[in-house]
Amino acid sequence: AQSVTQLDSHVSVSEGTPVLLRCNYSSSYSPSLFWYVQHPNKGLQLLLKYTSAATLVKGINGFEAEFKKSETSFHLTKPSAHMSDAAEYFCVVSDRYGGSYIPTFGRGTSLIVHP
Amino acid sequence: DAGVIQSPRHEVTEMGQEVTLRCKPISGHNSLFWYRQTMMRGLELLIYFNNNVPIDDSGMPEDRFSAKMPNASFSTLKIQPSEPRDSAVYFCASSSRLAGGLVNEQFFGPGTRLTVL
């Protein structure tokens, strides 16, 4: 069975400092991994995805994530936080499970950016 | 493409009434998902369709909830009768499939905010 653990429910940073949102997954096969962002009162939007190509994935708005199979991790990073990055972030794994391919969402990490 | 379209955007109803939420997926996508989001429970997958066929409905809370996908361009989620604890934001998402059957990125609609009084 697949699962996703987002290690922090809240992360607080100052504007201009680096961002690290942690995600660990478990999967029996070769998964696809995604990060989505949700701004207040909005739907979810894809930030980036890993689908067995390059392990370092670049996304929108300066975000990137590295797939580390040995650590079963897919942490999201950004060198310098902006006020507009304040949002909820979801890590998602999609893998074969019982013959189906159902995405599994983490609980989410709320990113707070201080001026 | 206009993206995933959901209607209505807001719905306020009274306990016991029937509620129908609608979704139009992106043309060409063959997977459709219904989610519910609340502060207490986070984002929950309710049901998942592939090629208009329900694949997994284990997340549907109870018999009061039902979902249909009569064709590739339309799906409904119905709650009958509605209860205050059904108050939430309901999202519809669609996606295509990668080689090997893995689900590709999901495109989410703006959601329907349901309030049951």
Side-chain angles (χ1 to χ4, degrees):
Chain A
Q2 61 189 31
S3 66
V4 177
T5 302
Q6 291 186 241
L7 296 159
D8 305 293
S9 59
H10 296 84
V11 170
S12 183
V13 301
S14 297
E15 191 175 19
T17 64
V19 175
L20 170 64
L21 305 184
R22 298 183 292 168
C23 173
N24 285 97
Y25 70 93
S26 68
S27 172
S28 302
Y29 302 95
S30 297
S32 294
L33 293 157
F34 308 83
W35 275 99
Y36 290 84
V37 61
Q38 184 181 27
H39 287 94
N41 300 312
K42 299 289 186 183
L44 281 74
Q45 178 188 14
L46 181 74
L47 270 180
L48 49 80
K49 65 180 179 182
Y50 166 79
T51 56
S52 73
T55 56
L56 182 62
V57 182
K58 294 188 183 300
I60 62 172
N61 300 333
F63 284 94
E64 63 180 38
E66 185 171 7
F67 173 68
K68 292 187 176 181
K69 187 174 181 178
S70 61
E71 299 177 10
T72 61
S73 69
F74 191 58
H75 300 335
L76 182 70
T77 61
K78 182 173 180 178
S80 176
H82 192 274
M83 294 296 291
S84 61
D85 295 328
E88 191 82 11
Y89 292 79
F90 294 92
C91 181
V92 181
V93 61
S94 178
D95 198 353
R96 188 169 62 198
Y97 174 62
S100 300
Y101 294 85
I102 300 175
T104 298
F105 278 72
R107 293 280 297 174
T109 298
S110 178
L111 177 63
I112 301 161
V113 182
H114 299 285
Chain B
D1 199 317
V4 176
I5 299 172
Q6 290 186 248
S7 65
R9 293 293 308 278
H10 301 272
E11 176 80 32
V12 180
T13 190
E14 292 188 346
M15 182 174 62
Q17 296 298 306
E18 177 179 297
V19 175
T20 299
L21 310 182
R22 297 173 176 79
C23 175
K24 177 179 169 55
I26 291 173
S27 177
H29 284 184
N30 53 9
S31 296
L32 184 139
F33 307 81
W34 281 101
Y35 292 90
R36 177 172 69 177
Q37 187 176 40
T38 61
M39 290 291 290
M40 291 294 292
R41 300 173 69 90
L43 193 67
E44 303 172 276
L45 175 64
L46 300 177
I47 188 168
Y48 160 41
F49 292 88
N50 188 48
N51 292 326
N52 312 337
V53 176
I55 301 299
D56 188 338
D57 64 355
S58 59
M60 296 286 264
E62 49 198 274
D63 292 345
R64 297 185 297 107
F65 285 68
S66 62
K68 294 182 179 180
M69 192 165 186
N71 56 61
S73 60
F74 184 65
S75 177
T76 60
L77 178 68
K78 185 176 293 187
I79 308 172
Q80 166 63 18
S82 58
E83 296 182 3
R85 60 192 168 120
D86 302 331
S87 297
V89 181
Y90 291 81
F91 289 103
C92 175
S94 70
S95 72
S96 58
R97 284 187 171 272
L98 299 169
L102 285 171
V103 172
N104 204 352
E105 65 184 273
Q106 295 172 285
F107 291 80
F108 283 78
T112 295
R113 184 173 295 276
L114 174 64
T115 302
V116 183
L117 303 174

